[in-house]
């Protein structure tokens, strides 16, 4: 079982360009999450989805959008990247509630120049 | 405001010695508490959680954590540290105003020296 896969592993992106980070899970989890991890700041939630067809904003949603067309996929889009979006991005999922543990993907390291 | 604090940026322990990684929280209601570990260049892995019941929770890789309601703490412990335990450790608590969101600590880097 793969769990959660993310693509790409890393990317260098010019400022102003758009990009979609892909995330797929095979555990049939209802809830999915996108986090960014920055040194000294821990994990910050960008967007989440509690079930297919619904999404919500997290702590730092500006500049990012998500969609949840089906249970397995939860792509994160940067419409016009800025250098402050340089970070490591993690996708995660959980069965339903936050009382359940979250399972994390391997991450995407994004550099915006 | 709801929050989680990991007061130590880094903890150094000699191999074979007991280790403690500290976590305190501030949330309304009964807390759901979690510990995760992150090895270099990897995603986070779940270690253990406390929801209710026994205050001492046992988890993966020989780790355990003690819930202390009066001190609002959930410290991670292991009786005998291994070099392979060296990693970044995160404490988290469920946001009581959301069924889906966790409030994360900033992380503690654990270094186990041979």
């Amino acid at each position: 079982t793969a769990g959660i896969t993310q693509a790409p592993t890393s990317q260098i992106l010019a400022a102003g360009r758009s990009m979609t980070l892909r995330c797929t899970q095979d555990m049939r989890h209802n809830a999915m999450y996108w986090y960014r991890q920055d040194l000294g700041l821990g994990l910050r939630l960008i967007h989440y989805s509690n079930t297919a067809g619904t999404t919500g904003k997290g702590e730092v949603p500006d500049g990012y959008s998500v969609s949840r067309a089906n249970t397995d996929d939860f792509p994160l889009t940067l419409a016009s990247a800025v250098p402050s979006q340089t970070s490591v991005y993690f996708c995660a999922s959980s069965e339903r509630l936050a009382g359940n543990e979250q399972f994390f993907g391997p991450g995407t390291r994004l550099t915006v120049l | 405001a709801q929050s989680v604090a990991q007061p130590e940026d880094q903890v150094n322990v000699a191999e074979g010695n007991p280790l403690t990684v500290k976590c305190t929280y501030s949330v309304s209601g009964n807390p759901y508490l979690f510990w995760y570990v992150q090895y270099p260049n990897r995603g986070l892995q779940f270690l253990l959680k406390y929801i209710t019941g026994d205050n001492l929770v046992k988890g993966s890789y020989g780790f355990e954590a003690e819930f202390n309601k009066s001190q609002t703490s959930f410290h991670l412990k292991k009786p005998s540290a291994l070099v392979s335990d060296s990693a970044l450790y995160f404490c988290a608590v469920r946001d009581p105003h959301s069924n889906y969101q966790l409030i994360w600590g900033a992380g503690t880097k654990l270094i186990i020296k041979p």
Side-chain angles (χ1 to χ4, degrees), chain A residues 31 33 35 37 40-43 45 48 50 57-58 90 96-102 104-106 109, chain B residues 32 34 36 38 41-46 49 51 88 90 94-95 98-102 104-107:
Chain A
Y33 315 83
Y35 293 95
Q37 184 179 29
L41 296 177
L43 290 172
L45 182 66
Y48 67 94
N50 59 18
K57 294 181 179 181
F90 288 101
R96 190 179 299 270
L97 302 176
N100 297 111
E101 56 266 34
Q102 294 183 12
F104 283 78
R109 184 175 296 274
Chain B
Y32 286 19
F34 302 82
Y36 287 79
Q38 184 181 29
N41 300 312
R42 302 283 298 276
L44 279 70
Q45 297 177 32
F46 169 78
K49 67 179 178 183
I51 295 179
L88 192 57
F90 290 94
R94 189 188 76 170
D95 184 340
S98 165
N99 282 331
Y100 303 97
Q101 299 190 37
L102 295 179
W104 295 85

Side-chain angles (χ1 to χ4, degrees), chain A residues 72-93:
Chain A
D72 298 342
D73 301 302
F74 191 44
L76 176 74
T77 298
L78 288 68
S80 180
V82 295
S84 62
Q85 292 178 309
T86 294
S87 187
V88 180
Y89 291 85
F90 288 101
C91 180
S93 70

Side-chain angles (χ1 to χ4, degrees), chain B residues 13 16-21 39 60-65 75-85 89 110 112:
Chain B
V13 178
N17 283 0
L19 69 86
T20 298
V21 182
Y39 298 102
S60 305
Y61 310 122
F63 283 94
E64 58 190 24
H75 300 332
L76 182 70
K77 300 180 180 182
K78 187 173 183 180
S80 179
L82 301 173
V83 173
S84 57
D85 293 329
Y89 290 81
L110 178 62
I112 308 300

Side-chain angles (χ1 to χ4, degrees), chain B residues 22-70:
Chain B
K22 296 179 180 178
C23 173
T24 59
Y25 65 90
S26 175
V27 295
S28 56
N30 295 319
Y32 286 19
L33 294 154
F34 302 82
W35 274 103
Y36 287 79
V37 60
Q38 184 181 29
Y39 298 102
N41 300 312
R42 302 283 298 276
L44 279 70
Q45 297 177 32
F46 169 78
L47 275 180
L48 51 80
K49 67 179 178 183
Y50 172 84
I51 295 179
T52 187
D54 195 346
N55 289 343
L56 186 64
V57 179
K58 294 188 182 299
S60 305
Y61 310 122
F63 283 94
E64 58 190 24
E66 186 170 12
F67 171 65
N68 187 317
K69 188 173 184 178
S70 63

